[in-house]
Amino acid sequence: MAEQFTVHTTTPSEAEIERERARTLAEGRRKHAVSSAVRYAILAGVGFLMLYPLIWLIGASFKENAEIFANPGFIPEEPTLDGYIKGWQTSTPYTFATFFWNTFLIILPKVIGTAISCTAVAYGFARFEFPGKRILFATVIATLLLPNVVTRIPQYLLFRDLGWLDTFLPLWVPSAFAGDAFFVFMLIQFLRAIPRDMEEAARVDGANTWQTLVFIVVPMLAPALISVCLFQFMWTMNDFLGPLIYLSSVEKYPVSLALKLSIDTTEAFQWNRILAMSVLALVPALTVFFLAQKYFIEGISTGGLKG
Amino acid sequence: MARLQIRNLEKVYGNAFKAVHGISLDVADGEFMVLVGPSGCAKSTTLRMIAGLETVTGGEIRIGERIVNNLPPGQRGVSMVFQNYALYPHMKVRNNLAFGLKLKRRPKPEIEEATRAVARILEIDPLLERLPKQLSGGQAQRVAVGRALIKKPDVFLFDEPLSNLDAKLRASMRVRITDLHKRLKREGQSSTVVYVTHDQTEAMTMGDRICVMKDGRIMQVADPVTLYNRPANAFVAGFIGSPEMNLIEGTLGVDGGINLCVAGQTLAFGEALGARLETHGRRTVLFGVRPQHLRIAAPDEANALEGHVSHIEFMGHEVYLHVDIAGIRLVVVVPSEQYRPEDIRDDRIRLAPRETAVHIFDRETERNVSLAGNA
């Protein structure tokens, strides 16, 4: 009403109203642009701060050992591949190729074992009624909350008595029996969000329990399974304590241990070699993550399947 | 070729809740049997027990000559269409159809031929290479029916297959499924159907026979016409028919003949009906008459109930009159061409029930005591 009133009394020309409108619009746009600029500046600043160590690491890996401590910037003055070449050769009779291969040998069976065993266990918990289910499920959740360290010593003794020390078995076997309660829990949550109709339809179609699991459940579970595999891949890649405890011969060392190996040498540390190898050690995890990013996000946001 | 026999079927859940109370039902070979009832009446549970998705805790299910109580679903010779289609989301339509046959390790050419045949019948040929998420509701439901059809089962089970579709599509799918059933029957294929729905229109239009259920018990099994004209009890009377049958409490009196006292007004019954009600004299009963079986009576006509019209709904081909008789509400349906507003004076109206269409139910047992040959 008030607006109409003013319009009638002052009767500004059409052009004037138009100009006023344009001014308001432009002002709104400018405010929006300024606020965006401020927000992006803050985001970029914090982002840079978080990434700085990584950027520095990559820069430093191309520096001479002396320059690392002399030059605080991350762009090397005289870029050199020295760290990579010498670091790759290591101070041991083995090159980093052996260590990467060892990491691969540990990861592959572990990831496969985890995927299969956790799927089977999660399927059991999510879809079947059996005596003692509640207690067993409570046990799974309890192990989830248990700190890893608590079980280290009993586990070590067990594997020692089995004669599995200095083999990859202690690293593989627990995962092959769904030892990672977190993954079981994650898959159960995901399964609970998937309606049972498809499985029932498969059973009416004549599929038995395992056929239903393999042909119907696993494909629907794929996003979650990819996340599980990714997590297991990254955690195993970064696992230091496990190999440290169970592996004693250098020829079986994975990358995580081998990096520490370079620090152990008596003479002054060759930081550029260590940093160069650290950069290489990051590559597989980053590559896999970026390749599978889409599925990864789909998988951890549970209930990703709609009817 | 198979008939389905259910004997004293019971379902008791782990928490001692009894969902199904010993029901018995025979479905003849090639018959289209509809299970209908309000939600929670255990119709779906019954269907799932027939399918083998729910364990049977008592009684017997027989398909053909075999007792199937403990057979896994795949070996019962049944196929099922689910309410929300339950298509395998990661498989193309073609593989959705063929999945059952592949599990049976049928030769590839045979599977290919069967898929083509089913796709042709249901007109889903152009969809074979699509994924379920690329289908509309109606298309998905047709694929789901195709998946049931391709197995050539002894018994088809439908679990509210149309309730996710919009009204128009539902009507056309209704016809399509009925046609399909007739076609299978004509071709001599096994075509026994058990169809679960909560929609009485679906039940009435599709079923050869209808089994009305309530609270895990069967209330009546009959063909649609019988169900409508001769409901065995007050529940069936109220459930079947639209709008609902008027069910009013009244007292049977004996005054020369049998009469009924409703809200202080008396309706005298003729001899035929009176004779059937003789044994129930002076009792409180439920008086049931369908809205279509009440007619507007002349002001001087005896044997009519007087009330006042609370509101009028014009539906096009007919008019719904909501009538209040001393606090009791009745609905009357009058065909539009017979509706004359001048019949209603000062909102007063007199209604005469058609005596042959009147039902009297025992108030305790809710049994229909007015049916001929069923005293």
Side-chain angles (χ1 to χ4, degrees), chain B residues 223-236:
Chain B
D223 61 274
V225 176
T226 309
L227 218 51
Y228 187 78
N229 291 329
R230 300 167 56 90
N233 48 55
F235 177 79
V236 175

Side-chain angles (χ1 to χ4, degrees), chain A residues 78-101:
Chain A
E78 293 167 44
T80 165
L81 282 176
D82 191 55
Y84 284 90
I85 295 160
K86 296 228 173 81
W88 186 263
Q89 280 155 1
T90 76
S91 52
T92 66
Y94 311 100
T95 64
F96 249 87
T98 315
F99 302 134
F100 270 108
W101 179 243

Side-chain angles (χ1 to χ4, degrees), chain B residues 78-294:
Chain B
V78 299
S79 60
M80 185 155 167
V81 178
F82 292 79
Q83 179 177 350
N84 44 10
Y85 327 131
L87 298 178
Y88 311 128
H90 55 286
M91 291 185 197
K92 285 178 180 169
V93 168
R94 175 187 297 284
N95 296 331
N96 260 289
L97 292 174
F99 185 67
L101 297 182
K102 277 186 187 157
L103 286 176
K104 284 185 187 158
R105 297 179 191 283
R106 290 287 167 73
K108 263 209 179 111
E110 185 192 322
I111 296 178
E112 185 57 34
E113 175 53 38
T115 310
R116 251 206 308 276
V118 165
R120 208 166 37 238
I121 294 174
L122 291 164
E123 293 160 37
I124 47 178
D125 326 50
L127 311 175
L128 284 178
E129 301 306 323
R130 290 208 201 160
L131 284 171
K133 64 178 169 204
Q134 298 163 318
L135 301 177
S136 70
Q139 291 170 334
Q141 195 51 277
R142 254 146 59 203
V143 175
V145 172
R147 193 171 60 181
L149 200 61
I150 200 168
K151 284 169 66 193
K152 296 196 164 69
D154 294 329
V155 180
F156 288 92
L157 306 174
F158 290 84
D159 190 2
E160 309 212 12
L162 307 185
S163 43
N164 279 8
L165 304 177
D166 61 63
K168 206 171 164 192
L169 208 52
R170 201 178 307 162
S172 79
M173 275 304 280
R174 217 158 61 198
V175 174
R176 200 184 268 270
I177 291 176
T178 318
D179 280 351
L180 192 64
H181 178 247
K182 282 188 193 132
R183 177 179 178 153
L184 289 177
K185 214 167 167 177
R186 210 169 44 236
E187 287 172 359
Q189 288 192 42
S190 65
S191 54
T192 313
V193 172
V194 182
Y195 186 105
V196 164
T197 179
H198 62 262
D199 177 355
Q200 55 116 354
T201 316
E202 246 170 65
M204 294 293 275
T205 50
M206 297 174 85
D208 290 331
R209 281 197 302 156
I210 297 167
C211 167
V212 183
M213 293 181 72
K214 182 199 175 196
D215 297 336
R217 292 190 174 83
I218 292 180
M219 304 313 281
Q220 186 173 9
V221 184
D223 61 274
V225 176
T226 309
L227 218 51
Y228 187 78
N229 291 329
R230 300 167 56 90
N233 48 55
F235 177 79
V236 175
F239 190 80
I240 300 292
S242 169
E244 266 179 46
M245 183 187 276
N246 298 300
L247 286 167
I248 311 156
E249 217 164 77
T251 315
L252 283 184
V254 187
D255 180 18
I258 295 281
N259 59 38
L260 177 84
C261 185
V262 173
Q265 304 183 39
T266 307
L267 282 175
F269 291 139
E271 264 175 41
L273 182 57
R276 291 202 293 275
L277 293 173
E278 222 147 36
T279 50
H280 296 271
R282 294 198 178 80
R283 275 210 231 149
T284 313
V285 292
L286 285 174
F287 163 72
V289 61
R290 295 198 185 277
Q292 294 84 352
H293 298 154
L294 283 166

